[in-house]
Amino acid sequence: MSGLRDETEQLLLLGETRPDRPMPGAFRILTWNVQHAAEKRSRTQAAWLAQREDADVLVLTEVGHGPGGLALAQALREHGYRVMEPVCAGDKYLTILACRLDEMVQVDVGMTVMPHRAPAARIATGRQAVVVVGLYVPSRGGPGEQRNVAKRAVQDAFAARLPKLIADSGDTPLVVAGDLNVLEPGHQPHHDVFGVWEYDFYRAFAAAGLVDAFRALHPEAVEHSWFGRAGNGYRFDHGFVSAEHADSIRTCTYLQEPRLAGLSDHAAMLLTLDFAAV
């Protein structure tokens, strides 16, 4: 990417698709890999998020541990969001949760491996609450003997916590959203580089009692949230909902506009849960 477009031009372009607010009782959760943006781009990202009337709950992954991440969190606060920034040590990236609803209270996931990549909160508006877990799994790679070590460690640790997360949530809906750096089995196109252990991580969500929200609504659709240099697409960004609350899933769509405008190399994913009619 060779520089950003003028910020005003970007927001005008992206604002053309800004939707109306849905019915009361809906939770609008937007997850987006922000590509460790520097300060200027972080502020533009926050402005784009704030002007979307459907972005009440944010799960932002690959937030840089440094000036860019600090600028993003501060800009979100200035736009009226409550922001949860986990303590990050020994890593370049973290996950941020933010909301502009009535309540956001931290929840302990119990992760002992890179917990700053998996923050959680109980988020409430009116009588309805949802437990939201943001997750950013390390990408593949690493030098020599360290290749894929961090990715395996985070996947194994989080998969082990999933059953307790479900149990602890009780009757409260649970959502896990973020850049999992994993593909579903049968992903189109197929990418040979991914191993059985990575597909098993995707399967762990269903085994624990969560539903892939996008697949629940779009069983056959081919959609991607990131594209490689050769133009091949990958659906890395996901939203999972506790199976007993799957009837509340109303929309789950990928927003390509911020990727095409150069705000990040990832599309955003928007998940809407509506409990008013459930």
Side-chain angles (χ1 to χ4, degrees):
M1 183 177 63
S2 57
L4 290 172
R5 298 179 183 178
D6 175 77
E7 180 174 327
T8 303
E9 179 187 350
Q10 284 181 301
L11 294 179
L12 287 173
L13 169 64
L14 296 168
E16 291 175 357
T17 60
R18 185 174 65 185
D20 294 330
R21 297 182 66 85
M23 295 173 57
F27 276 73
R28 290 76 55 91
I29 302 169
L30 187 147
T31 184
W32 188 27
N33 179 314
V34 298
Q35 197 193 7
H36 55 273
E39 294 179 61
K40 179 180 178 181
R41 183 155 57 107
S42 290
R43 288 190 290 270
T44 306
Q45 290 172 338
W48 176 71
L49 290 164
Q51 61 89 41
R52 290 198 65 90
E53 294 185 350
D54 54 0
D56 286 337
V57 179
L58 305 178
V59 176
L60 303 178
T61 60
E62 201 178 310
V63 177
H65 181 210
L70 292 173
L72 177 61
Q74 179 59 33
L76 289 172
R77 290 188 178 98
E78 291 169 0
H79 285 293
Y81 284 91
R82 294 180 173 87
V83 180
M84 182 182 296
E85 299 172 85
V87 176
C88 178
D91 193 5
K92 296 186 296 183
Y93 308 123
L94 66 152
T95 301
I96 282 180
L97 299 182
C99 83
R100 48 187 175 191
L101 298 178
D102 298 335
E103 176 185 301
M104 182 169 67
V105 179
Q106 183 174 354
V107 171
D108 183 11
V109 174
M111 283 281 284
T112 57
V113 180
M114 296 187 176
H116 52 276
R117 288 177 177 248
R122 182 184 183 276
I123 297 173
T125 182
R127 297 181 179 179
Q128 184 62 53
V130 175
V131 174
V132 178
V133 184
L135 181 59
Y136 180 43
V137 175
S139 58
R140 302 187 100 252
E145 294 180 355
Q146 294 302 307
R147 181 171 177 79
N148 291 331
V149 170
K151 183 172 187 178
R152 281 179 179 266
V154 171
Q155 285 186 350
D156 291 348
F158 193 81
R161 299 303 302 171
L162 274 173
K164 192 170 190 308
L165 277 171
I166 290 282
D168 288 350
S169 297
D171 295 332
T172 304
L174 174 67
V175 175
V176 180
D179 179 0
L180 276 57
N181 268 309
V182 71
L183 305 177
E184 61 191 322
H187 182 277
Q188 295 297 323
H190 175 72
H191 298 288
D192 292 334
V193 67
F194 293 96
V196 172
W197 59 278
E198 289 161 299
Y199 293 117
D200 283 346
F201 180 61
Y202 175 90
R203 295 185 182 101
F205 288 86
L210 292 113
V211 173
D212 181 332
F214 181 77
R215 276 288 159 249
L217 297 182
H218 311 286
E220 304 295 332
V222 175
E223 187 65 275
H224 304 122
S225 60
W226 185 82
F227 293 82
R229 292 180 180 178
N232 292 328
Y234 301 74
R235 192 167 76 90
F236 280 146
D237 300 84
H238 300 273
F240 291 91
V241 178
S242 44
E244 63 183 293
H245 303 102
D247 288 346
S248 69
I249 302 171
R250 292 292 175 267
T251 66
C252 188
T253 57
Y254 289 91
L255 310 176
Q256 301 294 337
E257 298 99 318
R259 181 182 66 83
L260 295 173
L263 288 181
S264 172
D265 60 350
H266 278 247
M269 191 197 77
L270 179 64
L271 167 63
T272 302
L273 306 177
D274 189 354
F275 300 99
V278 175

